[in-house]
Amino acid sequence: MSAPASDIEVVDATERSRFEILVDGALAGFTEYQDRGDGLLSFPHTEIDPAYGGRGLGGTLVGRALAAVDERGQQILPFCPFVLKYVQRHPDLVRLVPEDRRERFGL
């Protein structure tokens, strides 16, 4: 069961190098990134607080994070298994992974 969209906010917490998902203002999870320069972000880890599990928040978080990355014209390295699976399930997002790195991720 998904939480109402009006209760969910995804923010880029640049000072912590991660996108955070807030539910009713409370931190429910995050996906970390490392800025590798030249518009390339490495995503090593995603975590949703178990208290918020089963609500589809991981997909919402990663989807909105990747949309923000795309809007900024950046690309990603999906080392986090959750981010990689999200990209695999959304083939239109494969373009966010540099072409010369796709084989490494099975894309």
Side-chain angles (χ1 to χ4, degrees):
M1 176 180 194
S2 295
S6 61
D7 297 333
I8 297 174
E9 182 181 12
V10 174
V11 297
D12 185 357
T14 55
E15 67 281 1
R16 289 184 289 283
S17 297
R18 66 190 196 180
F19 286 91
E20 298 177 340
I21 189 163
L22 308 170
V23 176
D24 295 328
L27 180 64
F30 58 87
T31 186
E32 297 174 337
Y33 62 82
Q34 298 165 347
D35 189 341
R36 298 173 61 115
D38 297 331
L40 189 60
L41 299 178
S42 173
F43 281 80
H45 180 69
T46 300
E47 187 174 318
I48 298 295
D49 184 317
Y52 294 93
R55 297 171 67 178
L57 296 177
T60 299
L61 169 61
V62 171
R64 292 187 190 176
L66 295 183
V69 168
D70 191 24
E71 285 178 21
R72 296 190 292 225
Q74 296 174 304
Q75 290 187 299
I76 68 163
L77 297 176
F79 291 107
C80 168
F82 190 89
V83 174
L84 177 58
K85 285 180 186 176
Y86 190 91
V87 171
Q88 289 170 333
R89 281 186 259 134
H90 299 87
D92 58 307
L93 296 177
V94 170
R95 64 188 164 70
L96 294 179
V97 179
E99 193 170 345
D100 64 341
R101 307 275 183 97
R102 292 177 189 165
E103 186 176 337
R104 175 180 185 171
F105 297 104
L107 300 171

